[in-house]
Amino acid sequence: MASRRPALRLFAQCKQHIHFKSPPVPNANRTSRRALSSFPNSSTSSHPLAPLGRYLGWAAFGLVVTVPLAYKMAIDEPLKMDTPSLAELDQQIKAEKGVSEVSPMRLRMEKFVKEQQKAIVAALEELDGTKFRVDEWQRKEGGGGVTCCLQEGKVFEKAGVGVSVVYGTLPKPAILKMRANHKNIADENNIPESLEFFAAGLSLIVHPRNPMAPTVHLNYRYFETANPDGSSGAWWFGGGADLTPSYLFDEDAVQFHKALKDVCDKHDKDYYPRYKKWCDEYFFNKHRGESRGIGGIFFDDLDEAVTDRENLFAFIQDALKSFVPTYVPIVERRKDMAFTEEEKEWQQLRRGRYVEFNLVHDRGTAFGLNTPGARVESILMSMPLTASWKYMHEPEPKSREARLIEVLKNPKEWV
């Protein structure tokens, strides 16, 4: 369809320039009649060569008019060809060159999260013995994703591993808002009306059946704006991982936090204390006065002010790759432990608090639901299959449930 636009535009411009009025050509009819009289029976229009003469005349007239006009249009009014979108440019790059270490970062991030999605799904399927449902979807605005969901499994009541790749356009108000954290997104004195953007990430949520096994969440993402030629404008990484137990086992908390600290320390020893604190502050149910879980790490808007893009990408890769060897052993220890109906009910109440945070405070959920063309099922994949609320419920003093609440109200250092 796009290929027809220049032709349609040329036709429209021709209509503006050509006024089909018969020019006064002296003796034109006489000349035509004399030329045609040399043919036998030329006085009758039914002669087989009569139409040919008329067609040749019109063709000559067309050349006389359109050649100078086309030249004038080329000089005065050049055709404006449609500029390919960022999504179209990326499709062309992938088709012609594939994705390698020299490809744009957005394509490398997309490739990485899709590879990790397959690895994580395979590990969770092996642990549960149940296959994930896999849905591939496309956005008409550009991009798409793969949502993998397991429900009512043997070990996991619900688990979701989703990859999304989003192409879109930021309007001017959004650009102005983003300049608060990213001054290089646009010149203060020349804010464009819109900017193309790209976002890709992997989100994961696992809700085990057994209340002794903790829920886990992670998300690692990349965002960039694009210049008209497809090169990167402003860019940043975000993400993190956090653990949400219903019953607290200190060894699980220590193992989870130590794995994240090891990843952070490999790249910068300031990362873990900074991002652990950020996680405790972000995943906080303000209306309840307690954290959603026992934390982990969380960060956003990491750009060249922190370090260069390659080093940040390496940090993201190591953090995401650490998930399976950290979380799977924790679940293996807890999945077959005995529990009571009261302990299962406590898990449902804690899941209710989880839902409250996601729907009231989580910026990622709000951003997703307000993005044009959003796939709601993928965004709300993080919701547990079951949850409950009880009016004025309070745990028994000095119980395991009470100890968890104390830690959630006063986050502690685990490593």
Side-chain angles (χ1 to χ4, degrees):
M1 186 70 182
S3 63
R4 294 171 55 190
R5 291 175 187 162
L8 292 173
R9 206 173 287 131
L10 174 61
F11 178 72
Q13 291 172 337
C14 287
K15 287 176 67 179
Q16 294 173 4
H17 287 275
I18 300 175
H19 302 282
F20 290 102
K21 295 181 180 179
S22 300
V25 182
N27 301 320
N29 291 336
R30 188 181 307 139
T31 304
S32 299
R33 286 195 294 270
R34 186 178 299 122
L36 290 173
S37 66
S38 60
F39 292 103
N41 301 320
S42 61
S43 60
T44 62
S45 60
S46 61
H47 193 280
L49 292 179
L52 177 61
R54 286 197 297 273
Y55 298 156
L56 290 174
W58 276 108
F61 174 74
L63 287 173
V64 169
V65 172
T66 58
V67 170
L69 176 60
Y71 176 78
K72 183 179 187 303
M73 288 167 60
I75 299 299
D76 297 342
E77 302 177 40
L79 293 176
K80 296 179 180 179
M81 303 299 289
D82 291 338
T83 302
S85 67
L86 184 63
E88 291 169 338
L89 286 173
D90 283 352
Q91 283 297 109
Q92 183 177 355
I93 292 173
K94 287 188 281 190
E96 295 178 355
K97 302 177 182 178
V99 180
S100 67
E101 293 301 312
V102 297
S103 298
M105 179 57 72
R106 57 183 179 270
L107 299 185
R108 294 167 63 192
M109 182 65 175
E110 176 186 352
K111 180 173 183 259
F112 171 67
V113 294
K114 286 181 176 178
E115 290 171 346
Q116 287 302 299
Q117 181 185 41
K118 292 178 180 178
I120 292 169
V121 165
L124 296 180
E125 285 181 340
E126 182 178 357
L127 183 58
D128 189 282
T130 306
K131 290 291 185 181
F132 277 74
R133 168 178 172 168
V134 179
D135 291 333
E136 296 187 16
W137 47 275
Q138 299 294 322
R139 293 178 71 251
K140 64 179 181 180
E141 296 83 0
V146 181
T147 300
C148 303
C149 190
L150 183 157
Q151 291 186 151
E152 300 181 328
K154 300 178 183 68
V155 175
F156 305 119
E157 189 171 292
K158 187 178 181 184
V161 188
V163 163
S164 61
V165 178
V166 176
Y167 290 87
T169 303
L170 293 173
K172 191 171 185 177
I175 299 170
L176 290 169
K177 186 176 181 180
M178 285 185 172
R179 285 199 81 256
N181 294 321
H182 304 279
K183 301 298 182 185
N184 62 342
I185 195 171
D187 184 353
E188 182 180 11
N189 300 316
N190 187 26
I191 305 293
E193 291 301 317
S194 64
L195 273 177
E196 283 195 278
F197 76 87
F198 168 91
L202 182 149
S203 295
L204 173 150
I205 182 72
V206 180
H207 296 290
R209 282 188 176 277
N210 195 312
M212 302 301 158
T215 287
V216 70
H217 159 263
L218 69 76
N219 173 277
Y220 292 102
R221 57 195 177 272
Y222 174 72
F223 182 97
E224 75 171 37
T225 60
N227 298 316
D229 63 355
S231 60
S232 298
W235 57 268
W236 57 88
F237 289 93
D242 59 285
L243 200 67
T244 304
S246 297
Y247 286 93
L248 182 58
F249 293 87
D250 286 19
E251 65 175 310
D252 296 348
V254 170
Q255 178 177 328
F256 189 79
H257 277 267
K258 184 178 184 304
L260 291 173
K261 184 177 185 299
D262 289 345
V263 168
C264 290
D265 288 353
K266 177 181 175 182
H267 296 272
D268 190 318
K269 292 189 181 299
D270 289 334
Y271 281 0
Y272 177 75
R274 185 189 311 164
Y275 301 152
K276 196 269 185 188
K277 181 175 184 293
W278 200 341
C279 184
D280 291 338
E281 293 172 350
Y282 179 78
F283 291 104
F284 190 77
N285 262 329
K286 301 178 181 66
H287 61 286
R288 296 285 190 180
E290 64 185 39
S291 297
R292 187 177 76 174
I294 61 167
I297 60 171
F298 175 84
F299 51 87
D300 204 4
D301 300 321
L302 301 193
D303 57 16
E304 62 270 13
V306 177
T307 186
D308 64 82
R309 185 157 44 179
E310 289 297 330
N311 277 322
L312 284 173
F313 185 41
F315 170 52
I316 294 291
Q317 289 175 298
D318 288 342
L320 184 49
K321 288 178 180 178
S322 74
F323 168 73
V324 169
T326 301
Y327 181 67
V328 167
I330 293 175
V331 176
E332 287 176 330
R333 284 198 297 267
R334 309 299 169 200
K335 66 184 178 67
D336 297 319
M337 291 182 68
F339 59 89
T340 65
E341 289 185 13
E342 291 75 18
E343 289 168 336
K344 184 66 178 177
E345 180 57 31
W346 174 250
Q347 180 194 50
Q348 301 304 299
L349 292 171
R350 295 314 309 167
R351 285 181 178 171
R353 303 294 175 90
Y354 197 96
V355 170
E356 289 175 22
F357 176 85
N358 283 22
L359 296 182
V360 176
H361 302 298
D362 187 54
R363 294 202 309 263
T365 301
F367 175 82
L369 293 176
N370 287 290
T371 299
R375 189 172 191 267
V376 176
E377 289 296 323
S378 295
I379 297 166
L380 298 182
M381 177 183 67
S382 63
M383 297 296 106
L385 198 60
T386 58
S388 66
W389 287 261
K390 280 188 176 181
Y391 180 70
M392 296 296 290
H393 182 273
E394 293 289 339
E396 292 291 328
K398 298 183 180 180
S399 64
R400 294 182 66 192
E401 294 84 358
R403 181 183 179 235
L404 175 68
I405 296 298
E406 176 61 28
V407 171
L408 297 181
K409 290 181 178 293
N410 301 283
K412 62 180 293 184
E413 299 299 323
W414 294 101
V415 291

